[in-house]
Amino acid sequence: MTPEAGTRTGKHWISDWDPENDRFWNTTGRPIAKRNLWASIFSEHIGFSVWSFWSVLALFMTPDAGFDWAPEQKFLLVSIVSLVGAVLRIPYTLAVPMFGGRNWTIISSITLLVPTLLAVYLIQHPETPYWVFVALAATAGVGGGNFSSSMANINFFFPEKEKGWALGMNAGGGNIGVATVQLVGLAIIAVFTVEGGALVPLFYVPFILLAIWVASRGMHNLTSAKPDISAQLAATKDRHFWMMSVLYIGTFGSFIGFGFAFGLLLQNQFGLQPLQAAMVTFLGPAIGSLIRPIGGKMADRFGGARVTLLNFLAMVAGTGVVIFSINADHLALFVSAFIVVFVLTGVGNGSTYKMIPSIYAAKAQNAIAEGAPREDTLAFNKRVSSSMLGLIGAMGALGGVGINLVFRESFASTGSAAPGFIAFLMYYLVCAALTYLVYMRTPALTATAQATTTETAAR
């Protein structure tokens, strides 16, 4: 049976998908996988843009536009949007095997129209009660859920040796939506001033419709991607789930949290006007997103843990410079150092995500060596690793919530972001130590072959 001959519910379903078979992959699998990858990247990109709406629209929410909001209120708004996106990543991970990757991409793209149209309305009605405003704006979190379903889907399409590149491209193409929506905001502020906020979400309506069309025309569902709640339960019981979640909170949590907060930091810490802030805020997310596939590629070549450890140490140094620049009230140094930290979050995003499937590939090989059936073992571990990708993605997004809540408290208590950055620096030190102790250090004595292989799989 050829891949195009899947018959579960129609021509868009593919059976007998085996990317680990070199002959199949080189002759048939690669072009299909890449077609699904590019369609997935576009859809996820639009999802990230929708998720990031309010980090940009906050720049339009000035007294001149009718918004007399304190900094803490704006940080709370973007925190709630980030929280909804993080929570939705858990059910979105299961949605792909339940509905099919193509089908769910279409459904999730359609749902993006709701927060987009609500944003068009809300930004023009500052008189809306605060709690109602926040509750309706929070629907933009559906864009954040797209990440987990997209990553879990692409994980099924590619062989182990190319996952770092594929997942890095998919995630990086999505992440850069944080930057592009800020570029859209910059252009609109420059032309229409803060009165043109509604044009930001309105700009994305045709692109959402295009994403729906691209998914319907270019994507497939895999019959091998079966719903398996047991895989999610197995993932959460594994200690590597919790340890990798800690690391991903440090990388992706920092990326999305800083992406949401950058403009507000420039306004409230350095007193920049909306146009001035918008001219800068896109740089960090843009470079951090573009570098993510390189982080995955570096992990493919040098090992995920090695890249991740060095990256966290560099983040510690970069954050130290950020703290110094705030205390010195040096805007240029702050922007430069903060953008460097953004770049490092992108590298870390790619390297940590590469570590996850590597750990479970090692576990599968151990089980096979001990006599477990090869096909069943590989299939189960692939489902667990896909669940792990989605669930850890959700945990990372929760880190973004935490970052904005820390900034909220930092400004409310001291009027400065410096205490918040000190807390982040300490967290990066913990992540570096965890990476070294668990995934880099070779144990002196190893009780079983499984322990050795699993602990060193990501190196």
Side-chain angles (χ1 to χ4, degrees):
M1 181 179 291
T2 65
E4 297 291 352
T7 57
R8 178 170 166 182
T9 58
K11 66 180 182 178
H12 297 292
W13 288 88
I14 294 179
S15 300
D16 299 336
W17 187 260
D18 186 12
E20 302 299 341
N21 182 310
D22 288 341
R23 181 179 178 183
F24 166 83
W25 178 248
N26 292 326
T27 59
T28 305
R30 180 178 279 113
I32 295 174
K34 285 188 174 181
R35 187 161 68 246
N36 279 268
L37 173 62
W38 293 119
S40 177
I41 287 172
F42 181 61
S43 175
E44 189 188 342
H45 177 91
I46 301 303
F48 260 91
S49 297
V50 171
W51 193 24
S52 305
F53 272 163
W54 289 103
S55 68
V56 176
L57 292 176
L59 299 177
F60 291 83
M61 297 165 66
T62 66
D64 290 341
F67 290 91
D68 189 20
W69 287 16
E72 307 91 80
Q73 290 177 294
K74 295 181 182 180
F75 277 115
L76 181 60
L77 169 65
V78 296
S79 297
I80 296 299
V81 175
S82 182
L83 175 63
V84 173
V87 172
L88 286 179
R89 288 185 170 199
I90 298 174
Y92 270 53
T93 303
L94 281 175
V96 167
M98 291 179 66
F99 298 97
R102 169 188 176 273
N103 294 349
W104 183 251
T105 302
I106 293 172
I107 294 169
S108 61
S109 296
I110 291 173
T111 63
L112 296 177
L113 290 169
V114 175
T116 301
L117 295 177
L118 281 173
V120 173
Y121 173 82
L122 288 171
I123 198 65
Q124 298 180 87
H125 291 81
E127 73 281 1
T128 304
Y130 180 75
W131 71 270
V132 175
F133 197 107
V134 172
L136 294 178
T139 59
V142 298
N146 282 14
F147 175 84
S148 285
S149 56
S150 178
M151 295 295 277
N153 183 44
I154 293 304
N155 186 54
F156 281 106
F157 276 94
F158 284 83
E160 189 65 35
K161 61 185 178 182
E162 296 189 28
K163 283 188 191 297
W165 172 82
L167 294 174
M169 287 294 295
N170 193 56
N175 291 172
I176 204 170
V178 179
T180 55
V181 72
Q182 291 171 347
L183 281 173
V184 171
L186 169 62
I188 289 173
I189 288 178
V191 176
F192 299 100
T193 72
V194 294
E195 299 296 330
L199 296 176
V200 175
L202 194 62
F203 173 85
Y204 277 90
V205 172
F207 290 100
I208 294 173
L209 297 176
L210 180 59
I212 297 168
W213 182 83
V214 169
S216 66
R217 297 284 295 178
M219 297 188 73
H220 298 83
N221 304 306
L222 296 181
T223 58
S224 57
K226 299 176 182 178
D228 191 353
I229 296 178
S230 65
Q232 283 205 348
L233 294 175
T236 59
K237 293 177 181 178
D238 192 324
R239 68 193 185 99
H240 291 287
F241 166 76
W242 298 104
M243 288 186 288
M244 291 304 303
S245 292
V246 169
L247 300 184
Y248 200 58
I249 285 171
T251 55
F252 179 77
S254 296
F255 173 84
I256 196 65
F258 292 158
F260 279 22
F262 199 1
L264 291 174
L265 288 173
L266 291 172
Q267 281 187 317
N268 296 293
Q269 185 69 54
F270 294 96
L272 267 63
Q273 296 300 310
L275 180 58
Q276 295 173 310
M279 291 174 65
V280 177
T281 53
F282 74 93
L283 289 172
I287 300 172
S289 301
L290 293 172
I291 204 74
R292 179 166 183 158
I294 297 176
K297 197 71 173 177
M298 291 170 62
D300 283 339
R301 180 167 183 179
F302 302 109
R306 288 190 181 93
V307 176
T308 299
L309 173 60
L310 293 174
N311 193 72
F312 273 123
L313 293 175
M315 289 175 70
V316 169
T319 305
V321 177
V322 168
I323 295 168
F324 174 82
S325 68
I326 292 174
N327 291 330
D329 196 27
H330 198 301
L331 175 61
L333 181 60
F334 172 82
V335 171
S336 300
F338 200 46
I339 289 174
V340 168
V341 174
F342 257 116
V343 171
L344 295 170
T345 65
V347 173
N349 285 342
S351 63
T352 52
Y353 241 57
K354 167 60 179 176
M355 293 169 68
I356 299 166
S358 295
I359 291 169
Y360 280 88
K363 285 193 170 188
Q365 293 303 321
N366 289 330
I368 292 168
E370 294 173 1
R374 182 180 185 277
E375 297 301 324
D376 291 344
T377 301
L378 290 174
F380 176 74
N381 278 278
K382 182 168 285 190
R383 291 198 299 273
V384 173
S385 68
S386 289
S387 294
M388 186 82 86
L389 289 171
L391 292 172
I392 290 176
M395 296 296 287
L398 286 174
V401 180
I403 279 181
N404 281 280
L405 289 177
V406 168
F407 280 139
R408 179 182 183 275
E409 292 304 314
S410 185
F411 274 103
S413 301
T414 68
S416 170
F421 279 107
I422 293 173
F424 305 146
L425 185 150
M426 299 303 295
Y427 189 87
Y428 301 149
L429 282 173
V430 171
C431 290
L434 178 63
T435 304
Y436 173 75
L437 293 173
V438 178
Y439 297 107
M440 283 292 296
R441 190 181 64 176
T442 302
L445 294 174
T446 307
T448 64
Q450 179 176 345
T452 302
T453 309
T454 302
E455 299 295 346
T456 60
R459 294 208 300 259

